[in-house]
Structures are given as C-alpha cells and as structure tokens.
Amino acid sequence: MNVLIGLITGMISGATPILLAALGGTFTFYAGVFNIAMEGMMLMAAFFAVLGSFFFHSWVIGLAFGVLGSLTLALIFILFSVKLETDEFVTGIALNLFALGITTYFLRQIFKVKGVFTSKSIVPVPQLHIPFIEKIPFVGPVLSGRNLIVYIAVIATVFCYYLIFKTRFGLRLRAAGYNADSLDSSGVRTSRIRMQALLLCALFCGLGGAFLSLGYVTLFAENMTAGRGWISLAAIILVDGHPYGIAAISLLFGFFDGLGLFLQNYGVASQFTAMIPYIATLFALYVYAQRRREKKRKRV
C-alpha cells in the first residue's frame, strides 16, 4: 500500500511542472505562436524563485521572483518574434540557451557555487493539509498534504479550459491561430493577442519553474528543468492543446518520472531511470505521428 501511495504522489509531483508549463503553452499554441522557449522560461523561474526566497526569506516573494524571471524572457520573445517578426524557432532556441547561460553565470557569481545551490535559508512553498480528507485511508495521503502549487495546477486546468473555450478572449485567441487575417479585419490586432498569450504562458511556466526549485525540491541546480519544457511541448502536440488532455498526458509523464525514482531504490542506475520520461515522450510522439498518417490515408 505504501509503495502504491508513493508512486501516486510521485506521479502527481512529477506531473505538476509539466502540466503548468503545458497549460501556458496552450495559449501560444492556439494563438499560432510556436513557442519552444518554455524550457528557458521554467529555468529562469526556478533560479529567480530560489533567489527571492533566499534573500527575502519568503516563499511568496520567491514565487513572485520566479514569475518575473519567466516574464522577462517572454518580453524578449515578444520583442523579437512579435515586434521584429524574427523566426520563432530560432528565437526560442536562442532564449533557451540564454536562460541556461545566465542562470549558470548568476549561480556562480551570486552564490559562489557550481552545480547545485542549497541552503536552509531557502523557504519552500508550503504543503496544504485538507481537514477531514487527510484522515481517510489511502485517499488522505494522496489528496492531502501536497504542495500548494499542485492544487493551483488543478484549478489552473479548469480555468484554462474555461478561458480558451468559453470566453470572448478565448475566441479571439483561437482566431489568432486559425485565421489571423479575419481577426485583424474585425478590428482586433493579432499581435496584441499573441503578446497576451505569451505573457500568460510565462505566468504558468513561472509557476512550474518555481515549483521545481521551491516545491519538488528546495534547491537550484544547473539546467534543473532537464527537458521538462520540451516534454510540455510534446504534451500540447499530442492532444492538440486541450487542457484536460494535457492534464492526462502530464500525469502519464509524471508516472514515468516517479517510476524512475522508484526504480533507483532497487539498484537501477540513476542514469537509466532518468531516461524513462524522455523515452516515454518519444514513444508517445511516435504513436501520435502514426495516427496522423492513418488519418491522412483515410482522407485520400
């Protein structure tokens, strides 16, 4: 029973940063922006969350710093991709490399360490215990006592679905991706919608990155996102940006992430277990590509 509970809680923790980043990427997906800078946004958020929490001894300020770090990268993306109309893919790659370089530089210059920074002065995001539910066998340990950002991610899933499919903003957002010319002719600037989508993406990526360094663990390590932004992008592609589908895919990836950590207890090499989520991603993309091919054959 304890093993099963451990796997489920590990799955939830592993899924949370992927889910948040993918929810943010959903906005850019529908807006017609190919945003591969989510990896960099999460990494910036992870570092600046630790920076804020360490110096101000507050997890709230840490979260604020994390979101601001992610938003900074989004503003640079907006400048080059939306305003100057540079190639989105090239801009995203450049920003990911920039985030990796600048966080590594700041880590060594500010904290005077290489690789990993950890300290008792870093205040983590607290866990939330739900009265009555936490006393229920099996259900209690799974649903109660999770990090606060985990519950925010659940609420964010419903919120994103409502915002995208049930509001005027969501209609304009989807129009920006499906038919930008029609949106412009209606008097709504596509560029403004895409800016808003990128800022929303940065907000969610900021929460996901902050969770990594202040919730999943309490430290910052160089390149600690370890491809989670890319996995989030894969999750968006697999379900065509549907928030509920993204939640399901994120849990699947989270399960493999937790499974990798679980297998380390049985002597399996950590290098091998670290590959499991990415192998699952490649397999999922392969299945998705095969289904797309079959649909095209049926149409012909």
Side-chain angles (χ1 to χ4, degrees):
M1 182 66 72
N2 290 333
V3 172
L4 181 59
I5 291 174
L7 277 173
I8 294 174
T9 55
M11 174 183 69
I12 294 171
S13 297
T16 300
I18 296 172
L19 172 59
L20 285 168
L23 288 174
T26 300
F27 291 102
T28 54
F29 173 81
Y30 282 111
V33 179
F34 187 59
N35 181 17
I36 62 170
M38 292 187 295
E39 178 82 4
M41 290 178 181
M42 291 179 72
L43 188 59
M44 288 283 282
F47 175 80
F48 282 99
V50 165
L51 186 73
S53 179
F54 176 79
F55 283 108
F56 292 93
H57 309 290
S58 168
W59 63 268
V60 176
I61 295 179
L63 280 182
F65 267 57
V67 171
L68 286 174
S70 181
L71 285 171
T72 301
L73 217 61
L75 290 173
I76 299 173
F77 196 105
I78 288 170
L79 172 64
F80 283 94
S81 182
V82 180
K83 289 292 186 180
L84 302 179
E85 297 183 353
T86 59
D87 184 89
E88 295 168 354
F89 185 84
V90 174
T91 303
I93 290 291
L95 288 178
N96 286 337
L97 293 174
F98 170 76
L100 177 60
I102 198 169
T103 52
T104 301
Y105 175 77
F106 282 158
L107 178 66
R108 299 180 184 186
Q109 293 298 315
I110 297 174
F111 299 115
K112 309 299 180 183
V113 297
K114 294 182 179 180
V116 179
F117 172 71
T118 183
S119 171
K120 293 181 179 179
S121 297
I122 300 174
V123 181
V125 177
Q127 296 177 336
L128 183 63
H129 295 276
I130 305 174
F132 305 111
I133 291 180
E134 62 181 350
K135 297 179 180 180
I136 302 174
F138 184 77
V139 176
V142 172
L143 297 182
S144 180
R146 305 278 68 78
N147 190 276
L148 176 62
I149 298 180
V150 173
Y151 301 105
I152 292 175
V154 175
I155 297 171
T157 303
V158 180
F159 169 77
C160 288
Y161 174 81
Y162 177 80
L163 187 62
I164 292 170
F165 296 108
K166 302 295 182 180
T167 65
R168 178 180 296 178
F169 170 77
L171 182 62
R172 292 174 174 177
L173 179 76
R174 287 176 283 143
Y178 292 147
N179 197 327
D181 292 335
S182 295
L183 183 63
D184 287 328
S185 65
S186 70
V188 180
R189 288 188 300 168
T190 300
S191 59
R192 188 182 70 184
I193 297 297
R194 288 176 176 170
M195 289 178 195
Q196 293 171 349
L198 281 163
L199 292 175
L200 283 169
C201 179
L203 172 64
F204 285 99
C205 285
L207 290 173
F211 173 78
L212 280 176
S213 58
L214 296 182
Y216 194 61
V217 291
T218 310
L219 55 85
F220 178 80
E222 294 177 15
N223 195 28
M224 72 180 301
T225 48
R228 286 180 174 85
W230 296 101
I231 294 177
S232 299
L233 182 61
I236 295 168
I237 294 171
L238 284 170
V239 296
D240 290 328
H242 197 287
Y244 294 153
I246 286 173
I249 293 293
S250 298
L251 284 172
L252 178 63
F253 290 143
F255 169 77
F256 284 109
D257 189 26
L259 180 63
L261 295 173
F262 175 75
L263 290 175
Q264 289 183 27
N265 297 326
Y266 293 89
V268 180
S270 60
Q271 292 83 358
F272 177 78
T273 58
M275 293 190 300
I276 292 178
Y278 308 105
I279 293 173
T281 304
L282 290 173
F283 178 74
L285 287 173
Y286 171 78
V287 173
Y288 174 78
Q290 290 295 107
R291 288 179 177 176
R292 289 290 296 270
R293 286 180 180 178
E294 289 179 4
K295 286 182 179 179
K296 287 182 180 179
R297 288 174 184 174
K298 290 178 179 179
R299 288 175 184 174
V300 174

